[in-house]
Amino acid sequence: MRILIVEDEKTLAELVANRLKKEKYLVDISNDGEDGLYNALMDVYDLIILDIMLPGIDGIEILKQIKENNIKAKVIMLTAKSELEDKLLGFNEGANDYVGKPFHIAELIARVNVQLRTNQIKEKNLEFGDIILDLKASDIINKNTTERINIINKEFQLLEYFMNNPNQILSKEMIYDKVWGLDNNSLSNNLEAYLSFIRKKLKLINSNVQIKSLRNIGYKMECNNEETK
């Protein structure tokens, strides 16, 4: 899962990011309001840790725009302000949780885990064509033959993205933003390699699902049996 930290205190942001990475989260950092808003509106994050006091655009305005644009990420407000009025303002604008500075890193991590665990509980396995993506076991299952194969890390994230957008053309830029986020430099060869691994695994379980390359356009997940939905 991917997390965005919007925090102008660079040392604090790096400290939180490093701790989250140890929890196996993918983490990006924005150190000002404009960059934070831009990245938040990309809609590639599962959770945003958002400071209120930011240069440029403050956290409350970012939160408003996140909600106005129907961004699905959970939001934990992070601020030195501890007054009840400030907390109520954040909650009224749609924040999911609120942590006041100073705080213990362990507490913040616990709150992050709670928010993302809630997301995971609500998630259902994904289905397309003759395959099921088991989100808990990280397996691809042929629902006709019950053959299964494990799929992890970037392969899992890529397949999940395609199965959430079946029969749609996904450009390389869209895939980079969703799966790699801000760390998306020089990834063309990596993308092709991961897609090749996924195609081989689909073939190994005798699936009729394909990920087709559309030259100079992008990629599309299709089922070669038109009768299967």
Side-chain angles (χ1 to χ4, degrees):
M1 289 190 168
R2 183 172 290 277
I3 296 173
L4 174 65
I5 300 172
V6 187
E7 168 60 66
D8 62 323
E9 295 182 39
K10 295 182 180 180
T11 301
L12 176 60
E14 290 290 345
L15 181 64
V16 173
N18 289 337
R19 184 66 179 81
L20 287 168
K21 288 174 183 177
K22 290 182 180 179
E23 298 289 322
K24 308 302 182 183
Y25 293 117
L26 302 172
V27 185
D28 296 318
I29 296 173
S30 292
N31 292 128
D32 61 68
E34 287 87 351
D35 190 60
L37 177 60
Y38 175 81
N39 290 324
L41 294 183
M42 288 169 58
D43 200 15
V44 299
Y45 297 99
D46 300 288
L47 183 140
I48 299 171
I49 298 173
L50 178 61
D51 191 17
I52 285 186
M53 302 298 291
L54 293 166
I57 303 173
D58 66 53
I60 294 297
E61 180 58 31
I62 293 174
L63 179 60
K64 288 179 180 179
Q65 295 202 37
I66 286 173
K67 298 306 176 181
E68 288 174 1
N69 285 275
N70 297 314
I71 303 301
K72 299 180 180 65
K74 296 292 187 70
V75 178
I76 296 178
M77 303 302 294
L78 190 66
T79 178
K81 292 186 175 183
S82 58
E83 290 81 3
L84 177 60
E85 292 77 7
D86 296 309
K87 292 184 178 181
L88 291 177
L89 178 59
F91 284 130
N92 287 338
E93 294 297 338
N96 298 96
D97 203 352
Y98 203 109
V99 179
K101 299 177 184 177
F103 57 86
H104 292 287
I105 294 292
E107 178 188 357
L108 177 60
I109 300 303
R111 290 176 181 269
V112 167
N113 290 337
V114 167
Q115 293 297 329
L116 294 180
R117 192 179 302 121
T118 301
N119 273 358
Q120 290 176 323
I121 291 172
K122 292 179 180 178
E123 287 179 346
K124 296 181 179 179
N125 291 338
L126 299 176
E127 296 189 29
F128 177 70
D130 61 358
I131 64 169
I132 299 170
L133 180 60
D134 186 326
L135 299 180
K136 186 175 182 180
S138 297
D139 285 347
I140 315 172
I141 305 167
N142 185 321
K143 59 187 179 184
N144 295 326
T145 66
T146 71
E147 295 173 278
R148 69 167 60 211
I149 192 167
N150 193 241
I151 184 167
I152 59 173
N153 299 330
K154 285 291 183 289
E155 295 173 42
F156 178 89
Q157 294 174 43
L158 281 167
L159 185 59
E160 181 182 29
Y161 186 39
F162 276 101
M163 291 186 71
N164 277 315
N165 299 276
N167 295 313
Q168 297 184 41
I169 296 174
L170 303 177
S171 69
K172 287 184 177 181
E173 290 74 18
M174 293 168 66
I175 296 170
Y176 293 160
D177 286 344
K178 181 62 178 179
V179 178
W180 278 273
L182 303 181
D183 185 24
N184 62 5
N185 296 321
S186 303
L187 295 173
S188 180
N189 292 336
N190 288 340
L191 174 58
E192 294 293 343
Y194 284 121
L195 289 175
S196 176
F197 296 149
I198 293 172
R199 291 178 181 122
K200 288 177 181 178
K201 290 185 175 182
L202 290 171
K203 188 174 181 179
L204 282 171
I205 62 170
N206 299 302
S207 172
N208 59 21
V209 172
Q210 299 177 333
I211 299 177
K212 294 185 177 180
S213 298
L214 305 175
R215 189 173 181 180
N216 298 323
I217 300 176
Y219 304 89
K220 185 178 182 182
M221 174 176 273
E222 295 180 339
C223 179
N224 62 17
N225 180 357
E226 294 183 354
E227 295 180 357
T228 303
K229 296 184 179 178

